[in-house]
């Protein structure tokens, strides 16, 4: 896939190991992974234009090679419903970033589709020295951070293997549905795991990949944030 190689080559040329979110999402798109629609604005007017093209509500985020955790520096504003809100958020993000990290190089502001809130999962990959690329799956937030309720597999995984991974986490009932909670789209999750595992198998120059979070719905899933680190 030419586009993936181009993005990686370009980052290397600029001496960057951390791909920008729009780069990571563009790579995901080559594998038909369900990322939020996005565009990078370099001025306020464009941000509004892109928001209108994408459709409200939208989310604005900082695009900087020097910032990995965007919300830590006030670089993410969600749920913007009109042009004036987009203009204000654009200014706020630039101000926040200049305050928290004055030296950060700003490539632009990412305008993206707002994914409706839902159950959040994490799909990740790391390249293990011994086993090579492996994929990880778990639910978002405390499930991963506190309870370490995650599963790993050596990549690539088949659809059946991905389905077993999903059933292996303790929080599986949250996905399967309980009481009044309807079942979520397990098929969309296993599909995303399979495609992610193929991506990191094809491109061994990827050291780490993080789809965090991915919103899961009764029908479908949406990758809200994507991070790729090169070797
Ligand atoms: P960070 O670099 O801090 O991880 P994220 O892109 O993950 O930044 O954004 C922080 C949080 O904002 C996400 O965990 C998610 O809850 C919310 N968020 C970000 N983008 C979107 C989006 N497109 N739709 C809905 N929620 C979003
Ligand atoms: Mg994130």
């Amino acid at each position: 896939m030419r586009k993936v190689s181009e993005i990686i080559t370009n980052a290397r040329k600029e001496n960057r190991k951390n791909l920008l979110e729009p780069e990571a999402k563009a790579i995901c798109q080559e594998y038909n992974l369900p990322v939020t629609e996005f565009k990078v604005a370099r001025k306020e007017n464009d941000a509004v234009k892109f928001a209108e093209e994408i459709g409200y509500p939208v989310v604005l985020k900082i695009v900087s090679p020097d910032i990995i955790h965007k919300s830590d520096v006030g670089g993410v504003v969600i749920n913007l419903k009109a042009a004036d809100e987009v203009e204000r958020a654009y200014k706020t993000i630039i101000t926040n970033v200049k305050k928290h990290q004055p030296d950060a190089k700003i490539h632009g502001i990412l305008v993206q589709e707002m994914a409706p809130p839902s159950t959040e999962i994490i799909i990740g990959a790391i390249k293990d020295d011994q086993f090579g690329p492996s994929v990880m799956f778990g639910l978002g937030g405390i499930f991963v951070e506190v309870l370490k309720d995650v599963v790993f597999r050596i990549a690539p995984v088949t659809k059946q293997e991905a389905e077993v991974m999903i059933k292996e986490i303790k929080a599986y009932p949250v996905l399967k549905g309980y009481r009044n909670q309807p079942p979520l789209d397990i098929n969309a999750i296993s599909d995303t795991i399979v495609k992610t595992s193929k991506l990191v198998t094809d491109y061994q120059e990827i050291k780490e990949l993080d789809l965090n979070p991915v919103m899961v719905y009764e029908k479908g899933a949406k990758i809200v944030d994507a991070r790729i680190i090169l070797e």
Side-chain angles (χ1 to χ4, degrees), residues 21 61 68-71 210-213 224-227:
E21 180 179 332
K61 300 186 198 179
I68 298 186
H69 299 291
K70 301 172 292 283
S71 39
D210 248 305
L211 309 178
N212 181 12
V224 152
D225 185 20
R227 200 155 68 89

Side-chain angles (χ1 to χ4, degrees), residues 157-188:
V157 297
T158 63
K159 182 89 172 159
Q160 288 73 23
E161 284 168 329
E163 281 160 5
V164 173
M165 282 175 79
I166 297 166
K167 288 189 185 133
E168 265 176 24
I169 61 164
K170 292 193 198 73
Y172 175 62
V174 175
L175 302 172
K176 200 184 57 181
Y178 59 98
R179 289 194 199 153
N180 303 328
Q181 286 295 112
L184 298 174
D185 196 338
I186 307 270
N187 184 54

Side-chain angles (χ1 to χ4, degrees), residues 21 36 59 61 68-72 76 78 112-115 120 212-213 215 224-225:
E21 180 179 332
T36 47
V59 174
K61 300 186 198 179
I68 298 186
H69 299 291
K70 301 172 292 283
S71 39
D72 288 357
V76 178
I78 67 165
Q112 66 183 235
E113 169 193 359
M114 163 99 185
E120 296 187 359
N212 181 12
M215 302 283 185
V224 152
D225 185 20

Side-chain angles (χ1 to χ4, degrees), residues 37 39-56 58 60 82-84 86-87 90 111:
E37 199 187 327
K39 279 196 165 144
V40 179
R42 292 198 172 75
K43 40 188 212 288
E44 222 176 282
N45 284 350
D46 283 344
V48 173
K49 196 178 105 202
F50 295 159
E52 250 128 56
E53 283 168 18
I54 290 166
Y56 294 107
V58 294
L60 259 56
D84 61 320
V86 170
E87 285 166 7
Y90 192 101
V111 183

